[in-house]
Every structure is written in C-alpha cells, then in structure tokens.
Amino acid sequence: MKLADEKWNITSLCLGQMTLPRTAFSGELDPDLKIDIPILGFLLRNGRETVLVDTGMRAEYFEQMAIGDVKPRGSTEILLHALEQEGLKPEDIDTVIYTHLHYDHSGNADLFPDAVTYVQKTEYDNMLNPYPFQQARMDYFPDTPGRLARIKRLILVDGDLKLSNGLELYLTPGHSRGGQTIVVPTPKGRFVLTGDNPATRYCIFADMNRMTLMDGTVLEITPDHTVPHLTGRFTTDHFSFYDSVRKQLALAEKPEPQYFLPSHDTEVAYLHHFG
Ligand SMILES: [Zn+2]
C-alpha cells in the first residue's frame, strides 16, 4: 500500500457543550437564535493506529470562566466515557493531534503522556505567552503548560506537514495564532477538520439556509448571499481567517459542507461517523 492511499474513518466525540447565540459565529444573522453547540473531539482509526484529535475540557475550568454568556460544560469524565463508548481507554490512544490549545480543546492533555502528540509551534509559543485580550478571555488556562509538559513525545509542527500515515497537518491561523487543520483521507474522500477556524459549517458556507442540531432537528437559518464566509466574535485575526478558509476549501475532496468537520458544529456531532 502506498502511504498516500492510507484510508481512515472518523468518529466525532461530544466532549462537552455550550449555549451560544448564532451571532457569535454569524455577524448579525438571526440575532434571537440561541443554540446548544458541542465541544467536539475526533477519533481517527485505520485499523493499526488510533488518533485522538483534541482532549476536551475540565469541569473546574467552568468555575473560572470569565467570558460573558458563554457557558461551557465538559469534564474529564465526559472524555473518558466517550472513549469507553468506543471501546477505548486513554492508553489505547497512539497519537494526539491538537487543532489548538484553547481550554476546551486541550484540558486533558496529561491523560495521554505516551501518545505521540502534534501541535503547531506557533500555538505552543502563544499559549506560553498569551496576549492581554487572550488572558482576559481565558483562551488558555494556566495549568495547560504543566499538562503538556508530561507528554514524552511532543512534536511542535512548524507550518504544513504530511505524516507517513496519510494524515496531513496545516497551519491555519485566524481563531488562534497556531490553529491546525487536519486533512483525513477516507474511502469517501478527503475530510477537513478545521478546529475553531471556522467553528461551524455555516461559517465556511455563508449561504447555508438550514442547519441540523445535535438531536437531528433541522432548523431554518438566514443565509447570507453577500459574502462567502462568516466570521464572528471568536475570530482574532480576520485576514488570516479568510486565508485559512480558502486554503481549507482547496484541501477538501470537494468544496462542499459535507467534507468539513468543524469543532463546534451541531450537524457533525449528530452525524457521528464519517468516511
Ligand atoms: Zn478555540
């Protein structure tokens, strides 16, 4: 088998939840619509290697949150239960890949000390020295460096990198400085895990007029036909956001919503299996 032919399957794991107005990701569209959105991790499996993308959050982070109406709920127990549902224990995870190191994506890093772990170098450096607005928003929690320090093989990726197992890592800043996109080749094509840049499918495809919620309910939403992509209040660098989305559109099997798996997308939580 050629390395490029490596085929994976993808499972979304719901590692927590928060309630947000749609406007958090959509500018002014649907100002009265509040949605329960998931905090997602992903399992990537090819029969020989088990990869976990992001490790969720910790219950005690919620007590310290200082970001207005965002109410994240998640815990180590939820992560362990999600893994157990897939027949896995933390020691079964061979590899961990981080989309970025925000509190709701890296909270349980120390559960996987023996897994080969990939994070963008820019993200790691920013986490060590957050800017004042990031500190005010608690993007990174003070205990994250200590948790990451327990990982024996932490690989700091500098830009774009193709792994020998067929997975591809790309630097995609905008939401965070070192956001990392993961491209996963599957029997059904190339899927793109975007992390929080962007966090939902309708941010990439602004003209979407329906969204599927976590329980499968289909909701009509207001499309925007005037712009291709929607940013929101969690974008910190709008220039980079657009550049990253264009890069992601070129990396997918086709530039269509079904190939994009953002970390806070309700439909991605509902569908669960990909590839
Ligand atoms: Zn984030």
Side-chain angles (χ1 to χ4, degrees), residues 99-105 137 139 175-176 195-196 234 264:
T99 62
H100 61 308
L101 296 174
H102 284 176
Y103 67 91
D104 53 334
H105 295 258
R137 211 168 61 171
D139 278 2
H175 168 74
S176 71
D196 287 6
F234 298 116
H264 298 290

Side-chain angles (χ1 to χ4, degrees), residues 93-142:
I93 302 298
D94 303 301
T95 306
V96 174
I97 303 174
Y98 284 104
T99 62
H100 61 308
L101 296 174
H102 284 176
Y103 67 91
D104 53 334
H105 295 258
S106 66
N108 297 291
D110 53 320
L111 284 187
F112 309 95
D114 297 316
V116 181
T117 300
Y118 296 87
V119 62
Q120 285 286 332
K121 181 178 186 303
T122 313
E123 183 73 7
Y124 187 82
D125 290 346
N126 187 190
M127 179 268 301
L128 291 178
N129 292 292
Y131 285 71
F133 78 94
Q134 296 176 309
Q135 290 176 352
R137 211 168 61 171
M138 300 287 262
D139 278 2
Y140 304 103
F141 263 74

